[in-house]
Amino acid sequence: MTGPDPRAGTAAARIGELLLAAAVLSAPWNALGWSPFKPTPLLLAAACLALAVDACLRCRPLVVPAWVWPLSAAIALATVTSVLFHPTGAYLAGRYLPDHVPSADEIGAAPVLGLVAGLQWLVAAFALPLAVCVAAPGRPQLIGRLCAAWLLGAAVNALVAVGDATGLTSISANLIDAVDVGGRQTGLSVQPNHLAIASALALPLAVHRTLHGRHRGAALLCIAALVGGLVVAQSRGGTVLAVLGTLGVLVTDRWARVRLLGPGLLVAAAGLVTVLVAGDRLPTVASQLRITGSASAEASDTIRASILQQAVDDARHSPVTGVGLAVLPQGHSIWVQLVAAGGVLLLVGFVLSAAGMLADAHALRGRYEGLSLALGVSVAAWLVGGLVENQLADLYLYTAPALLAGLHASSATPVPSGKALV
């Protein structure tokens, strides 16, 4: 009786790696697709299948960090409760929605929408980290390739937005429906805030690769593209996340603290001089970036306040199980949205997993030139920015957690001599 064919496993692994890299690359492009099909989940599903075949042929043990399970279990539970226990139609009809009054058909479809939302969230929060954990052991360079794919995908998204904003291209107009939102660009994302958050979350990795990578010039070009995307997206939350992420890497990275303290002080001094000399122009710049004095920003703040109040009301209405995952994207604060959609059970699962991600990032800080800290900074920036942002279940948000899970799985496997991770 013959054993497994190692060559078949290798072929399946290579196919799985390519598909996984393609899924990570396209994750920020969440407006692309043929409704209801999106390329990234399809690529991820095919990658999982190929990697599962490879794992079975090689009889590999599966190493998955413990923090993956609490959120995945909480999402599964919230999905079930969304279908079996949902508010009455009268309650759903009275909820505040900024753009339209919910129809009877939409209210009746709430359980189905909750089921779909839960499955999509599980793809992001469970399937993506699991796929990386299956692929990473024994392949020390895979995480580096996935990091490069993530940066490239985010940079391309930002460059599309910059090109369309300057009139050099019209890519968004030809590929997606939502192109210009009050002068703000979306790139290949569904909304300007998604473009901004995707750019901001990739920035810590780009800064890290500038400090430690072997292709610093490419990393600098990615930083320039990501900053351009933030500018044309005009997202206040994305701008704050970008600043937090950049500063977070510079503070947590030992090399940066030692080598960049002097230049950092010079930059701070130059900024202070700029404020003193050109302070009268700052309000104009702030208005253009929608930080202050912008009519669209004021209108957005008014709508956000009403949506947030509705999410608070939902949480009070059903604090244990929430009112269903159909309302998950609403609230403009992920911490309130968690309770509104899935109750305290969902909140506890999310908090446990988030704490585990950050703990893993710290535990692995001595390996891989501090890559885990850069990924942890990206996660931390998302969690802090989530106080005023509503991006919670999109697949691109879980790229950094998935890479952290891959580092965890790789740390349990000896790295072959002469092989570099990044």
Side-chain angles (χ1 to χ4, degrees):
M1 186 174 180
T2 60
D5 184 356
R7 292 174 298 176
T10 300
R14 288 176 178 171
I15 294 172
E17 290 173 15
L18 290 173
L19 290 170
L20 183 56
V24 170
L25 173 77
S26 61
W29 311 341
N30 58 359
L32 289 182
W34 310 270
S35 183
F37 300 105
K38 301 286 185 179
T40 302
L42 295 177
L43 289 168
L44 181 57
C48 289
L49 179 60
L51 292 170
V53 169
D54 175 69
C56 291
L57 290 174
R58 293 176 179 237
C59 300
R60 281 182 169 175
L62 180 61
V63 180
V64 181
W67 52 260
V68 170
W69 305 108
L71 178 56
S72 301
I75 295 172
L77 179 61
T79 303
V80 172
T81 58
S82 291
V83 175
L84 299 181
F85 310 102
H86 49 84
T88 63
Y91 178 82
L92 293 176
R95 294 182 72 255
Y96 170 79
L97 293 175
D99 49 359
H100 70 289
V101 176
S103 65
D105 291 339
E106 288 176 317
I107 294 172
V112 176
L113 295 176
L115 174 62
V116 172
L119 294 176
Q120 290 175 337
W121 197 0
L122 281 173
V123 169
F126 178 67
L128 181 58
L130 184 65
V132 179
C133 286
V134 172
R139 303 182 180 102
Q141 294 180 319
L142 175 63
I143 300 297
R145 292 173 184 149
L146 293 179
C147 287
W150 181 23
L151 283 182
L152 179 60
V156 167
N157 194 29
L159 285 174
V160 168
V162 172
D164 290 354
T166 56
L168 296 176
T169 61
S170 57
I171 297 174
S172 297
N174 294 323
L175 295 180
I176 63 176
D177 294 331
V179 179
D180 190 306
V181 182
R184 304 169 62 195
Q185 292 295 320
T186 66
L188 299 176
S189 300
V190 298
Q191 207 262 358
N193 288 339
H194 286 251
L195 164 64
I197 300 301
S199 299
L201 294 184
L203 261 179
L205 178 59
V207 174
H208 175 268
R209 289 177 78 94
T210 302
L211 297 173
H212 297 284
R214 287 171 291 184
H215 305 287
R216 291 184 172 90
L220 285 171
L221 290 176
C222 284
I223 291 176
L226 295 174
V227 171
L230 286 164
V231 171
V232 297
Q234 299 180 28
S235 168
R236 292 165 293 172
T239 301
V240 172
L241 260 68
V243 173
L244 290 177
T246 302
L247 292 178
V249 173
L250 296 179
V251 169
T252 58
D253 189 278
R254 182 179 179 182
W255 188 94
R257 290 199 306 270
V258 173
R259 302 291 181 87
L260 300 181
L261 178 60
L265 292 176
L266 289 176
V267 171
L272 178 60
V273 171
T274 301
V275 170
L276 294 176
V277 173
D280 56 334
R281 301 192 60 177
L282 291 180
T284 302
V285 176
S287 177
Q288 291 174 344
L289 295 177
R290 299 178 69 250
I291 297 174
T292 60
S294 169
S296 66
E298 293 175 0
S300 176
D301 289 341
T302 301
I303 294 175
R304 283 176 180 240
S306 299
I307 296 175
L308 179 59
Q309 183 57 53
Q310 180 60 65
V312 172
D313 293 341
D314 291 339
R316 290 172 176 169
H317 179 79
S318 183
V320 178
T321 59
V323 299
L325 294 184
V327 306
L328 188 65
Q330 303 168 18
H332 272 293
S333 173
I334 63 173
W335 302 102
V336 179
Q337 290 167 217
L338 286 164
V339 184
V344 294
L345 298 177
L346 183 58
L347 175 65
V348 169
F350 185 86
V351 169
L352 289 176
S353 286
M357 295 174 200
L358 298 178
D360 237 4
H362 184 264
L364 296 169
R365 66 191 184 281
R367 299 169 179 254
Y368 318 126
E369 296 182 323
L371 175 60
S372 68
L373 286 178
L375 296 174
V377 165
S378 181
V379 172
W382 169 43
L383 298 178
V384 173
L387 291 169
V388 293
E389 291 292 340
N390 66 331
Q391 287 83 359
L392 182 58
D394 299 279
L395 203 148
Y396 68 86
L397 298 170
Y398 294 87
T399 304
L403 293 174
L404 271 174
L407 291 181
H408 178 102
S410 295
S411 67
T413 306
V415 178
S417 177
K419 293 289 187 179
L421 184 73
V422 294

